[in-house]
Amino acid sequence: MKRFFIFFVCLSVTVFVGFSQKNDRQDKVAIRGNGVNTFLSHQKTTNTLLKDAFSDRFCLYNIKGKEYISLLLRVDRDNDLSFLKKYDYILGSRQARVVTLKLNTEQLERFCEESSIIEIETARKAGMPLLNKSRTVMHVEDVWNGIDLLQGYTGKDVIIGVADWGIDYSHPNFYDTLLEDYRILAAWDQFRTQGPAPEGFSYGTLLEGRDDLLAAGCDTSNTYKYGYHSTHVAGITGGSGAGTDYRGVAPEANWIFCTWIPDETSVLDAYAWMRNYAKSKGKRLVINNSWGLFNFGTMDGTSMLDEFINDMSDNDSVVFTVSAGNNGTELFHIKADFSDEENPADTLRSEIGFGSESVNNYWGETITLQSENNANFTTKIEVYDRHWNKVHESDVLVCNGNVIADTMFVVQDGDTIIYRASSRFSTDDIHLVDWEVRKTKLTNSFTHVVLVISAEQGVVHAWNVACLTSAVGNWGYDFMDSQEGYLAGNDEYGIDEPSLAEKVITVGASKIRRTNVPSTIALFSSRGPTMCPYVKPEIVAPGQDIMSSISSFTTESVNVYTTVPFNERDYPFAALSGTSMSCPMVTGSVALMLEANPLLTPDEIKEIIIQTADTNVNTGTCPNDIWGYGNINTYRAVKMAETVMGLNGVESATTLRVYPNPAQDVLYLVGNNIKGEVLVFDMMGRKLLSSTLNGKTVDISSLYSGVYMLCVKDKATVYQTKFIKN
């Protein structure tokens, strides 16, 4: 079903994995990731047929006759990178401990012995593929009209960064409502070679100002040809509507765009450029990420990508919104529990489901395994014929950084199984394995490929996700309980990277039937739980059948709903579905909040969105693994943003507690050193009470029965929690 939705992009292939190392790293050798180990192993393969058999998983570039590979490094914070002078490299960007660069592949093995590097990994590849009602449900028009606000807000003076593919710079949706003022400030097309790169970078072309952007027309045809995804997403964040009713959430915001090379280091470079550009203009920045990583990496929010984003959020005040993904109906996850005392087992199996020739460029499946609490486990692949006779099994892969080299096995009925795998055990004790598995005969194939997991104790998770010939793919395929005792797949643990990063706002998708009827969850919306110690997704926004702009240059098929004539060209609008569409709803809402209060930190913005979320009969008790904290209420979020203006911190209800709750006339506050001004708001953001905290009690006798927000503000922090008045 996933192919019928526009879904978030998936970065594929490598995992942050490494050789077995003790926590003290006495030998001071860099921890090699799974991608590094696999690349070095693949380089040594002499079988030409096998070299050509695997998907295009590595980010390789031919520059002046030399081959370079994209890498991510984790180094000490005070490392000045002087050790790089010994190597042939091209530096990308740096955020705290994380560095992106391209290295001459001939030097990679020696580079891995560098004591200045904590961890090294190959970059992962990336892939892709009824707005007016949504605004009403989110109460966006109330914000525009300034109802009971200090003023109306439309995103003015806020910059929205869109890192995506398929942007039409000339679309009238990117002008103001009078179709006069042009609102795109700049774009970095990393595929384009006809002009200067942005300052500090050595590739791509910077397009800045109306003349340059309109002369270019659109971004360069690339891996995704002339697409339309970015044009649609950006229109939701803040399109003017171009004379239609399909206006975006923040229709006076400005944009910067980056069409990035499908390479993990390149998107981190895009973030760094966007951060630099917004700072140069003295504007706040929110970055929209309507795409997601392949189900690879450390699925607990601790990857180098996560660290880069979290640090930029904390130290550069960049707000990130990320789509949760579209695997809500896929049975692509299994949970092997070896701690069940009632049904003890040391080995569990599940059959791997595969795609078909109908999927463009389909190659095979990628299986990622990771244990909870760093439990040890082993894994292997078994192959069975149509009668379930075992005809082949792989070597056993253990969690010590070993690699199963490129392997091919021919089954009697003419099918061929191709596979390779590698594992990780590193300083952070993360135990992780990934497999690449291919069946060459998909139609009428009777071959069964089975994943085997063994452990003495603990829990091991596995994900089965499509892999294309270009290493691109982001939708899950089933795990199957084809034989007695086999594990069946489920749709849980569906949130992946960078949605797992702690600091990002992860957005699920809802379906709106009518504006006066409670929304339901969109079936495709990925859900938790996760292996992280926090809730994902945090929020849900409308994401099904969302009308927005489409690139007039696209070569892809799309069902156009209407067109707008402008400058002797017809510009299309169409409805698309996915968390790609719900994410920019939240991005636009953040832009409105930042206009109302440009001093808000990313943590404050997330906390306000969480605390002002709507719940209904369909959400159940929140937070939960499907809805997070509920539906976004843009109006209440902006209203609260006004009330915390100038504060440097927002502490959640875990810091401030009240009792009894529900209460009648008096609230008692629980918490250390809580003092300052006391404010009580209703759930529409209207201030009802204001006084100085005297002791630890608050008089609420004048309030009617209902749900309220209690805030205690001092010079540096606002403490907030909800309470019920009987």
Side-chain angles (χ1 to χ4, degrees), residues 131 135 138-145 152-158 160 172-184 234-255 584-585 587-593 595 634:
L131 193 50
R135 294 198 313 261
M138 295 162 58
H139 306 285
V140 171
E141 281 97 340
D142 292 344
V143 177
W144 295 349
N145 295 327
Y153 301 106
T154 53
K156 189 175 182 180
D157 292 326
V158 177
I160 295 172
N173 210 21
F174 303 134
Y175 287 74
D176 67 356
T177 54
L178 299 177
L179 299 180
E180 294 176 354
D181 291 335
Y182 187 65
R183 293 187 290 130
I184 303 177
I236 297 170
T237 66
S240 68
T244 73
D245 194 32
Y246 307 118
R247 190 179 300 180
V249 178
E252 287 195 295
N254 290 110
W255 289 280
M585 295 285 187
T587 303
S589 299
V590 171
L592 299 179
M593 295 170 68
E595 184 189 0
T634 303

Side-chain angles (χ1 to χ4, degrees), residues 264-521:
E264 188 177 6
T265 62
S266 296
V267 73
L268 295 183
D269 290 351
Y271 295 159
W273 168 73
M274 288 177 173
R275 181 265 320 276
N276 295 343
Y277 192 92
K279 278 191 172 183
S280 73
K281 300 298 183 183
K283 306 293 185 184
R284 289 301 303 272
L285 171 67
V286 51
I287 296 178
N288 187 91
N289 297 268
S290 284
W291 48 267
L293 283 172
F294 212 82
N295 263 348
F296 263 59
T298 52
M299 301 294 287
D300 56 1
T302 63
S303 70
M304 281 189 270
L305 178 69
D306 299 326
E307 183 174 333
F308 194 103
I309 289 172
N310 290 339
D311 191 85
M312 187 173 284
S313 176
D314 282 340
N315 294 311
D316 297 311
S317 295
V318 177
V319 184
F320 289 87
T321 59
V322 184
S323 55
N326 300 328
N327 278 308
T329 60
E330 306 306 322
L331 306 180
F332 74 126
H333 167 263
I334 53 175
K335 183 177 181 179
D337 190 350
F338 299 96
S339 304
D340 189 345
E341 296 181 357
E342 296 182 1
N343 298 291
D346 59 8
T347 299
L348 293 169
R349 289 173 168 82
S350 186
E351 183 177 1
I352 299 169
F354 287 80
S356 68
E357 289 91 341
S358 64
V359 179
N360 290 335
N361 302 318
Y362 178 76
W363 181 85
E365 297 301 301
T366 305
I367 314 297
T368 302
L369 300 94
Q370 184 171 335
S371 63
E372 291 185 6
N373 301 318
N374 307 321
N376 289 307
F377 68 94
T378 64
T379 178
K380 64 180 179 179
I381 293 291
E382 295 177 342
V383 182
Y384 294 81
D385 65 17
R386 68 176 67 197
H387 303 296
W388 282 95
N389 298 309
K390 185 163 68 174
V391 295
H392 176 75
E393 67 179 51
S394 73
D395 294 336
V396 174
L397 197 70
V398 298
C399 296
N400 65 354
N402 65 327
V403 175
I404 290 181
D406 308 350
T407 305
M408 180 180 293
F409 176 76
V410 179
V411 185
Q412 290 179 348
D413 65 0
D415 207 349
T416 301
I417 307 300
I418 301 169
Y419 63 86
R420 66 181 173 193
S422 57
S423 68
R424 171 186 186 175
F425 179 77
S426 63
T427 54
D428 49 13
D429 289 341
I430 292 175
H431 295 184
L432 191 148
V433 169
D434 71 273
W435 291 92
E436 294 171 89
V437 186
R438 179 185 181 191
K439 289 202 305 186
T440 60
K441 185 178 179 182
L442 295 173
T443 302
N444 298 322
S445 173
F446 299 100
T447 305
H448 306 280
V449 182
V450 175
L451 176 69
V452 184
I453 310 170
S454 299
E456 294 183 1
Q457 59 183 2
V459 175
V460 181
H461 297 268
W463 294 264
N464 178 21
V465 184
C467 184
L468 307 187
T469 54
S470 58
V472 171
N474 67 332
W475 55 93
Y477 282 103
D478 291 350
F479 279 115
M480 298 173 287
D481 55 347
S482 308
Q483 297 288 293
E484 184 177 356
Y486 277 31
L487 292 175
N490 59 60
D491 58 9
E492 297 179 343
Y493 292 85
I495 310 294
D496 57 13
E497 294 275 42
S499 301
L500 291 171
E502 181 178 5
K503 298 296 182 177
V504 309
I505 301 170
T506 302
V507 186
S510 62
K511 177 182 179 181
I512 300 171
R513 290 176 292 177
R514 294 187 302 276
T515 55
N516 60 341
V517 175
S519 60
T520 58
I521 198 70

